[in-house]
Amino acid sequence: MSPGLVFDVKKYALHDGPGIRTTIFFKGCPLRCAWCHNPEGQLAKPEVMVKASRCLPGCRACVKTCEARAIIRSKDTLEINRYECTGCGRCADACPSQAIELAGRLMDVPELLQKIFQDEIFHDSSGGGVTFSGGEPLMQPDFLEAVLDECRRRKVHTAVDTCGYVATAVMKRFLGKADLFLFDFKLMDEARHKKWTGVSNRVIRDNLALLAQNKQKVVVRIPLVAGVNDDEDNIRRTAELVRSLKGLIRVSLLPYHNLAREKYHRLDRTPQGPLLAAPSKSDQERLKALLETFGLTVTLGE
Ligand code: SF4
Ligand code: SF4
């Protein structure tokens, strides 16, 4: 079994499924949502993130350890040549001030299971478990399946947070493998979906239908972004789709937040698209009420 590429393990997560959860962030995502709050999860390879404000005057520890000569250090600045960087992570290990962090480390199945099972006492006492998020966890199907199977053997509740953009054959393989799917659904209109995420929503809709038809437990999560998907037409059409797919257990509205902008700078990337914002509180409540008129159970912000 090849190892998986994981960029974070979050303990005591409260918003990624029921109870207290351990959330595992898989690296690599097929979408490029303009509002992505985990840009370090997009590329399926390790990446260096630099927090220049932490860099110590006169220090060159990272430069000395970089065999690829990918670090350019002048008196006041530090730059990474991302074409040369191999993602080995030596610079992050050598840095005395955590100015460099490596997003994405290879982890084998027993290592990840150990991290999950360490938290069992919190899972058991709260009705929680483990959530596989990202990035897109279904982009690493063999690794994910092996971890899910072991969690099931150990009776740990599992949730898979997916964007749904995977081959239907892959989604079929995971039917019955997770206790819960957190299914991100952004936009009904295909052209608008392409504009804001970079991909069509056809296979996403097919995969959502597949999960519903096979009686999987699914929470549909909609990120709410002003001017992107908060119009009544989109919300109405989404509600009709969810209602038609009987058995989906809840719609969760997740207002956009822009806490990730600093991460883009640390990766030397520019956020895609315009500066985005969440709809106003009153608009959020109005859209929640609109969804509820379709007989759906809706939560806001969780
Ligand atoms: S991750 Fe490795 S190759 Fe990249 S800058 Fe750091 S030490 Fe150099
Ligand atoms: S090792 Fe850390 S503190 Fe030292 S130069 Fe590199 S980034 Fe700055």
Side-chain angles (χ1 to χ4, degrees):
M1 165 69 54
S2 307
L5 186 62
V6 169
F7 71 89
D8 201 6
V9 176
K10 190 164 123 198
K11 307 270 185 181
Y12 320 118
L14 297 173
H15 300 290
D16 296 326
I20 299 174
R21 308 195 70 82
T22 307
T23 302
I24 315 297
F25 293 86
F26 283 42
K27 193 151 158 56
C29 181
L31 271 60
R32 291 293 177 269
C33 302
W35 55 86
C36 179
H37 59 271
N38 283 334
E40 75 276 39
Q42 290 178 345
L43 297 185
K45 62 175 190 179
E47 287 173 279
V48 164
M49 298 177 80
V50 179
K51 200 168 210 170
S53 60
R54 287 189 170 210
C55 189
L56 302 174
C59 178
R60 292 180 62 81
C62 56
V63 179
K64 285 182 200 151
T65 198
C66 179
E67 289 177 0
R69 296 173 183 250
I71 303 177
I72 305 135
R73 178 87 166 111
S74 69
K75 188 164 169 274
D76 303 317
T77 61
L78 184 142
E79 274 177 61
I80 306 291
N81 179 337
R82 293 188 182 271
Y83 294 102
E84 298 297 335
C85 173
T86 60
C88 71
R90 284 197 195 97
C91 53
D93 294 339
C95 177
S97 66
Q98 289 159 346
I100 300 184
E101 193 185 321
L102 186 71
R105 290 190 187 261
L106 290 172
M107 223 179 245
D108 59 21
V109 173
E111 190 183 354
L112 183 54
L113 288 171
Q114 193 193 16
K115 286 189 184 289
I116 295 167
F117 297 157
Q118 271 170 2
D119 296 343
E120 259 179 333
I121 188 164
F122 301 105
H123 303 158
D124 292 348
S125 62
S126 67
V130 57
T131 298
F132 301 96
S133 183
E136 172 51 60
L138 294 174
M139 273 181 73
Q140 301 183 55
D142 295 342
F143 182 68
L144 177 63
E145 188 176 29
V147 178
L148 280 171
D149 287 348
E150 284 304 317
C151 287
R152 174 144 295 181
R153 257 190 278 282
R154 186 94 168 218
K155 297 193 177 8
V156 176
H157 181 275
T158 55
V160 172
D161 178 9
T162 177
C163 69
Y165 192 81
V166 292
T168 299
V170 171
M171 193 59 90
K172 272 188 185 157
R173 186 171 153 188
F174 283 87
L175 295 174
K177 291 274 178 186
D179 296 308
L180 176 68
F181 287 88
L182 305 171
F183 197 104
D184 301 339
F185 194 88
K186 283 94 178 183
L187 269 160
M188 281 298 290
D189 181 80
E190 188 182 6
R192 285 169 63 192
H193 195 279
K194 265 190 191 162
K195 174 184 169 188
W196 289 106
T197 70
V199 302
S200 159
N201 61 4
R202 284 192 194 185
V203 73
I204 295 172
R205 292 177 60 163
D206 289 349
N207 282 331
L208 181 59
L210 179 81
L211 293 179
Q213 283 153 10
N214 285 278
K215 302 195 181 341
Q216 304 298 289
K217 280 194 172 170
V218 181
V219 172
V220 176
R221 308 220 288 188
I222 306 174
L224 271 186
V225 190
V228 173
N229 65 350
D230 65 337
D231 52 290
E232 284 201 14
D233 178 60
N234 179 56
I235 297 298
R236 226 176 256 285
R237 289 172 63 195
T238 305
E240 279 162 5
L241 174 75
V242 174
R243 186 172 60 179
S244 73
L245 300 173
K246 295 184 180 25
L248 303 182
I249 56 180
R250 177 163 59 92
V251 175
S252 165
L253 292 175
L254 300 172
Y256 169 80
H257 63 73
N258 66 2
L259 301 176
R261 288 191 84 78
E262 196 231 341
K263 290 193 204 171
Y264 284 88
H265 296 304
R266 293 176 65 196
L267 290 160
D268 297 326
R269 275 193 236 151
T270 314
Q272 292 160 31
L275 199 58
L276 297 169
S280 67
K281 287 269 184 253
S282 61
D283 280 347
Q284 292 173 23
E285 291 293 348
R286 181 175 53 78
L287 296 172
K288 176 174 182 279
L290 175 59
L291 281 159
E292 285 167 342
T293 64
F294 287 78
L296 303 173
T297 303
V298 187
T299 53
L300 183 56
E302 60 183 271

